[in-house]
Amino acid sequence: MPGRALLGLGLVVLLGPRTGAPLCLSRQLKMHGDYILGGLFPLGLPEEASLGSRTRPYSTTCSRFSPLGLALALALQMAVEEVNNRSDLLPGPRLGYDLFDTCSDPMATMKPSLMFLAEAGSQDIAAYCDYSQYQPRVLAVIGPHSSELALITGKFFSFFLMPQVSFGASMEQLSNRDTFQSFFRTVPSDRVQLAATVELLLELGWNWVAAVGSDDEYGRQGLNIFSNLASSKNVCIAHEGLAPLSSADSLRQEQLKDLLRQVNRSSVQVVVVFASAQAAQALFRHCIYSKLLPKVWVASEAWLTSDLVMTLPGMAQMGTVLGFLQRGAPLHQFPGYVQTRLALAANPTFCTSLDTEQPGLEEHAVGPRCPHCDRLSPQNLSAWLLQNLAAGQLHHQIFATYAAVHSVAQALHHTLRCNASGCPARERVRPWQLLQHMSNLSFRAAELGLHFDASGSVSMQYDLKLWLWRGPRPEFHTVGTFDGRLSLNRAQMSWHTPDNRVPESQCSRQCREGQVRRVKGFHSCCYDCADCKAGTYRHNPDDPTCTPCAHDHWSPDRSTRCYPRRPRFLAWGEPALLLLLLLMGLALGLALGALRLFLYHRRSPLVQASGGQLACFGLACLALLCLTVLLFPGWPQPASCLAQQPLAHLLLAGCLSSLLLQAADTFVESELPPAWATQLRAFLRGPRAWLAVLLAVLVEAAMCTWYLVAFPPEVVMDWQVLPTEVLVHCRLRSWAGLALLHAPNAALAFLCFLGTFLVQSQPGRYNRARGLTFAMLAYFITWVSYVPLLANVQVAYQPAVQMGAILVCALGILAAFHLPKCYLLLWQPDLNTPEFFLGEATGAAQGGPGTNG
């Protein structure tokens, strides 16, 4: 806490009319002992004036009284008396104290600081090369209350390694051990309080705030720490400024007014004020005068409990005030101790004894310790202390002062090696020896365990206090705690809004699920919400961009997570496959039925005219060709991928080669001279015809071998084709290779078509050429359609397209060439004659006239 967070009802109340002799409170600010503690307390307040306006080094005039400073001094006195009365802490040695007024002014603070470093028994500071044996008047210094004063005294006392324990200076800069080697404090650093403030903003969803600091070291450094902490947590400061300490600073006054106008016009509903009590008082005076709309004011500990702010007329209309306050430990004996000391101060006999025991020669140099203390009304002061202690406004500061004394006493206990029977060390302890035991010291104060960390600060729990107006002054309600983690009691929180809802202070609305923030402008809290597309998701609510899913996962639009991809292939249970299997069953049944019929009538003229054994071979190849479609469904395997194309083309080559021999026989019979035709037909119908079939199959086998070596199909998992699944398929590595694989069969089909298309049919004879022509047309139509369809269809459906092409090709050949012959065998057997199929004139052989059939 800074030094100027002072509580008081003013001279009118505390220095009210009283009769009788003056009090001797100021003379109680010194007590002899074996080891003296120097004290720096804000017993008075200076007139508002700038040190820069001085022309001579005159002393500061403390024209106002601070009852808070006197209360803190009484807390030190009570702690010293407790230590002296304990037999376990310092058995034998006694502590004393020498307390002075800082007047909350740097110049007034330096005078007693110099006096503390004067050599024991004198008022002079001697110059030595080595101060190891130097014994100053005090062993340690308690105070000051203000961070700005501690910045001055901290460096000064660190030169002499004089331990200094402040009960209110909380600036983070004082944690620098290189500069403030002997400085300690019984309050946490401002960084802890500001971290709690940022956690409060996050918990209540406030990320668009204004920040105001006092125009001093305390406010500027606190504002800087808050800005850094807020930025790291994505809390944006929309407006930022400093509140002047002096009304004479017209430039700062205008800047503050401009800042308040901006806050009033903006959507900011929360203002963090990290300022001293004087600066906060000036700030709210402007707010009340300019009729600022009600806001939420997050207070620093410096002004949260200050009467300077709480008693401002119109403060209740400013909105909701809340802030963090150190918890400490209750000191139930303190009110009774204060009443006892005030009673003694009004006792003439006690005051006379002080005059004889404590001559107070140093006051001629430093000035009176507390000139206003002796003119107080004991009843008013006692009532003020009891009222503020009951309201929870003083206990944290009283406890911090009390704990500071116990920290020095515990360090002295270790330095003197004290035990239950006494303190064995005989030599006089010097400040630098005590300092060695102050570092990382653990001690207890009012049964609360405390510990100085590496920076000289203590860790302490904070209470979140909320102002609740039920009279001229607000009451303090505890609505949360902070001990590294924030805990809120939302049911106890009250707001200035009409429906008591938590005020909203955001530049942009919260993005919905599956949306990310696209920042616009300079503030990260002002943004547009953009949907995450399919395949991406929002990982964290504060992400500026969508996160792509891993290749084995997928996500829909506006998703906050990714889902594992399911494998996709031509499964056995798919409806399309069931239709293809029915088609395969039909083609296979027809092929096997025709084969059985041809075998049964293998010696008939019809079968002989259709090629005889070659026709049966062709039908067998067609039946096996239908079975090759079973290689395409199911989870693709390397073996099935390699066998799919070669098996189909080899069987198709066997079928087409048998049909080519039929086409050649028809062409020879009808187009060539009888002598040539007889010789060629003997070759085409004899056993040597199988050589042509074998040659065609071997050529196709050679092409298949080359295809498997040059472009071997492989099982791949394609993550890009399907949005939600992974496609498992046999990858076609080369379209050119596939075309060359079709080339031998296409050549066979073309020759067959060419040989039959030009043939003239003979009257009275079965037209074999027509069936072959239509069979080849079916082949070409199927495979010419297959190429563009396969190239344009989605990869997931390519296996079904290949199955369909094979089956349609087989059915086309069956329907055009074989099934008509089966029809004749079954339903027109009377046409199954040599004359009709083979062209032999039976009547001529018997000597009768021939018939044209």
Side-chain angles (χ1 to χ4, degrees):
M1 292 174 289
R4 297 188 176 182
L6 304 178
L7 299 169
L9 296 177
L11 294 174
V12 175
V13 177
L14 298 182
L15 303 182
R18 66 173 250 92
T19 58
L23 301 179
C24 58
L25 275 174
S26 61
R27 281 171 282 172
Q28 294 186 45
L29 298 179
K30 179 177 180 180
M31 186 180 77
H32 288 297
D34 299 310
Y35 294 99
I36 304 298
L37 303 181
L40 299 173
F41 290 88
L43 300 173
L45 291 172
E47 292 295 335
E48 188 175 300
S50 173
L51 292 179
S53 63
R54 295 187 309 148
T55 58
R56 294 185 181 182
Y58 52 75
S59 298
T60 303
T61 302
C62 294
S63 58
R64 296 178 293 168
F65 172 67
S66 169
L68 171 63
L70 179 59
L72 298 177
L74 290 173
L76 180 143
Q77 293 175 335
M78 183 184 75
V80 169
E81 291 185 16
E82 282 190 9
V83 170
N84 289 336
N85 292 332
R86 287 176 56 180
S87 59
D88 59 333
L89 191 56
L90 290 176
R94 294 182 61 81
L95 292 181
Y97 48 81
D98 201 0
L99 313 183
F100 288 92
D101 181 20
T102 65
C103 199
S104 297
D105 178 79
M107 185 171 62
T109 304
M110 282 308 298
K111 288 186 178 181
S113 299
L114 291 169
M115 185 64 68
F116 293 154
L117 286 173
E119 195 165 8
S122 72
Q123 298 182 10
D124 304 322
I125 299 178
Y128 297 103
C129 294
D130 184 2
Y131 282 88
S132 299
Q133 301 302 317
Y134 186 75
Q135 186 69 54
R137 294 182 55 167
V138 300
L139 180 65
V141 177
I142 306 298
H145 180 254
S146 161
S147 290
E148 290 207 341
L149 297 182
L151 290 173
I152 300 172
T153 60
K155 293 180 181 179
F156 180 62
F157 290 131
S158 291
F159 295 152
F160 298 90
L161 297 182
M162 168 75 74
Q164 176 187 6
V165 186
S166 173
F167 43 83
S170 56
M171 279 184 61
E172 174 67 15
Q173 185 178 345
L174 293 167
S175 298
N176 187 347
R177 304 312 285 171
D178 293 333
T179 306
F180 304 96
Q181 187 176 357
S182 64
F183 179 82
F184 300 87
R185 53 187 168 192
T186 51
V187 293
S189 164
D190 283 335
R191 181 175 291 275
V192 180
Q193 182 187 169
L194 289 168
T197 300
V198 173
E199 290 296 326
L200 175 66
L201 299 179
L202 294 174
E203 182 68 23
L204 295 175
W206 298 331
N207 64 359
W208 187 239
V209 301
V212 181
S214 52
D215 190 14
D216 54 13
E217 286 293 330
Y218 169 77
R220 284 190 291 270
Q221 188 175 85
L223 204 57
N224 182 55
I225 294 174
F226 173 73
S227 298
N228 293 334
L229 291 175
S231 176
S232 67
K233 298 291 186 177
N234 291 324
V235 175
C236 298
I237 301 177
H239 309 285
E240 185 175 350
L242 297 173
L245 300 176
S246 172
S247 59
D249 193 344
S250 59
L251 178 61
R252 289 293 189 191
Q253 295 285 344
E254 288 301 320
Q255 291 175 346
L256 179 60
K257 292 178 182 178
D258 183 60
L259 172 67
L260 293 178
R261 282 193 292 269
Q262 294 177 21
V263 171
N264 208 28
R265 290 194 300 263
S266 70
S267 60
V268 170
Q269 298 299 319
V270 178
V271 184
V272 177
V273 182
F274 196 85
S276 62
Q278 281 77 12
Q281 181 188 37
L283 169 68
F284 285 107
R285 277 177 179 167
H286 285 295
C287 294
I288 296 169
Y289 176 77
S290 59
K291 297 181 180 179
L292 186 74
L293 296 175
K295 306 288 182 184
V296 176
W297 304 90
V298 182
S300 64
E301 198 172 19
W303 66 269
L304 180 63
T305 59
S306 172
D307 276 338
L308 295 177
V309 181
M310 289 190 296
T311 56
L312 280 175
M315 189 62 196
Q317 284 72 48
M318 284 293 95
T320 304
V321 178
L322 71 166
F324 290 94
L325 203 63
Q326 298 165 35
R327 173 175 293 184
L331 298 174
H332 302 293
Q333 70 274 29
F334 184 66
Y337 179 81
V338 170
Q339 291 178 339
T340 301
R341 299 303 297 188
L342 292 177
L344 289 175
N347 188 334
T349 304
F350 177 76
C351 293
T352 303
S353 66
L354 292 178
D355 291 336
T356 58
E357 293 179 5
Q358 303 176 15
L361 297 177
E362 66 278 356
E363 292 189 5
H364 296 292
V366 180
R369 297 174 186 272
C370 183
H372 302 294
C373 293
D374 296 339
R375 291 181 284 149
L376 294 175
S377 168
Q379 294 80 12
N380 289 345
L381 179 59
S382 177
W384 177 86
L385 286 171
L386 291 175
Q387 176 186 355
N388 284 278
L389 286 170
Q393 295 177 233
L394 286 180
H395 80 275
H396 61 289
Q397 301 175 76
I398 298 296
F399 174 77
T401 309
Y402 176 86
V405 175
H406 277 269
S407 68
V408 175
Q410 187 66 46
L412 185 59
H413 172 90
H414 295 317
T415 307
L416 294 173
R417 303 190 296 278
C418 297
N419 51 41
S421 59
C423 301
R426 298 292 183 183
E427 294 184 2
R428 186 81 177 166
V429 175
R430 291 171 173 79
W432 62 269
Q433 295 173 317
L434 181 70
L435 180 63
Q436 294 177 355
H437 293 88
M438 292 285 291
S439 299
N440 297 314
L441 175 69
S442 296
F443 60 99
R444 300 188 69 82
E447 302 305 321
L448 180 64
L450 298 173
H451 175 77
F452 286 135
D453 59 22
S455 64
S457 305
V458 297
S459 297
M460 201 174 294
Q461 191 172 9
Y462 281 91
D463 287 332
L464 179 61
K465 298 291 185 178
L466 177 73
W467 284 12
L468 195 62
W469 292 90
R470 291 179 178 172
R473 294 163 57 91
E475 297 178 3
F476 292 86
H477 280 213
T478 301
V479 294
T481 58
F482 180 80
D483 55 355
R485 293 184 58 188
L486 180 65
S487 176
L488 293 182
N489 187 353
R490 293 177 180 265
Q492 298 294 324
M493 303 185 82
S494 177
W495 306 101
H496 62 272
T497 52
D499 52 357
N500 198 32
R501 295 182 61 183
V502 180
E504 294 184 0
S505 190
Q506 298 175 343
C507 180
S508 301
R509 67 171 178 83
Q510 289 290 338
C511 289
R512 298 176 180 176
E513 292 293 321
Q515 292 183 327
V516 293
R517 301 173 179 179
R518 298 288 170 82
V519 177
K520 55 182 180 181
F522 299 101
H523 294 289
S524 61
C525 300
C526 299
Y527 49 82
D528 293 324
C529 295
D531 293 344
C532 286
K533 303 299 182 183
T536 63
Y537 70 104
R538 189 187 73 180
H539 184 61
N540 293 312
D542 298 330
D543 285 350
T545 57
C546 300
T547 303
C549 294
H551 73 279
D552 56 346
H553 284 70
W554 71 281
S555 68
D557 290 336
R558 291 182 58 178
S559 177
T560 57
R561 56 168 296 191
C562 291
Y563 304 90
R565 288 178 180 264
R566 292 178 303 170
R568 172 69 181 278
F569 51 91
L570 190 59
W572 288 102
E574 292 189 19
L577 180 61
L578 294 178
L579 291 176
L580 289 172
L581 291 177
L582 288 175
L583 189 62
M584 183 205 74
L586 175 62
L588 181 61
L590 291 175
L592 292 176
L595 177 60
R596 181 176 179 279
L597 197 59
F598 271 47
L599 289 174
Y600 182 77
H601 297 281
R602 60 184 177 276
R603 299 189 182 278
S604 67
L606 186 151
V607 175
Q608 292 299 317
S610 300
Q613 294 180 355
L614 284 176
C616 295
F617 174 76
L619 283 171
C621 288
L622 279 180
L624 293 175
L625 178 66
C626 294
L627 292 175
T628 60
V629 300
L630 297 177
L631 295 173
F632 292 92
W635 185 278
Q637 300 292 336
S640 64
C641 285
L642 292 173
Q644 285 172 0
Q645 299 296 336
L647 279 181
H649 285 82
L650 284 172
L651 293 170
L652 194 56
C655 176
L656 291 175
S657 62
S658 66
L659 295 179
L660 177 60
L661 291 174
Q662 289 295 307
D665 183 69
T666 304
F667 177 81
V668 167
E669 182 182 359
S670 62
E671 300 297 332
L672 293 183
W676 292 7
T678 303
Q679 295 179 3
L680 290 176
R681 288 177 66 183
F683 173 79
L684 294 173
R685 294 183 179 182
R688 286 178 293 182
W690 290 100
L691 294 177
V693 174
L694 179 61
L695 178 62
V697 173
L698 288 177
V699 171
E700 184 61 41
M703 293 302 298
C704 291
T705 304
W706 168 82
Y707 174 78
L708 292 177
V709 172
F711 310 106
E714 58 183 350
V715 180
V716 295
M717 303 182 74
D718 197 331
W719 307 95
Q720 305 299 325
V721 175
L722 303 177
T724 64
E725 299 167 310
V726 52
L727 180 62
V728 186
H729 68 105
C730 299
R731 186 176 67 170
L732 181 64
R733 301 183 60 180
S734 171
W735 284 96
L738 183 63
L740 290 175
L741 200 60
H742 277 273
N745 289 335
L748 292 174
F750 178 74
L751 292 175
C752 186
F753 177 79
L754 192 64
T756 57
F757 181 73
L758 299 176
V759 170
Q760 294 287 334
S761 61
Q762 298 179 9
R765 293 280 305 276
Y766 178 75
N767 191 352
R768 291 187 296 169
R770 181 174 56 188
L772 289 170
T773 300
F774 282 107
M776 294 307 102
L777 283 176
Y779 171 86
F780 282 119
I781 291 172
T782 301
W783 293 107
V784 170
S785 302
Y786 163 79
V787 173
L789 189 61
L790 186 69
N792 291 284
V793 78
Q794 195 177 34
V795 181
Y797 302 109
Q798 286 183 356
V801 171
Q802 296 183 69
M803 291 177 64
I806 292 173
L807 293 175
V808 169
C809 179
L811 282 172
I813 294 174
L814 282 170
F817 184 75
H818 295 97
L819 293 185
K821 296 178 176 56
C822 294
Y823 174 81
L824 293 176
L825 288 174
L826 293 174
W827 286 284
Q828 291 186 345
D830 56 311
L831 295 179
N832 190 6
T833 62
E835 294 85 357
F836 188 69
F837 285 98
L838 299 177
E840 297 177 358
T842 312
Q846 296 173 353
T851 178
N852 290 331

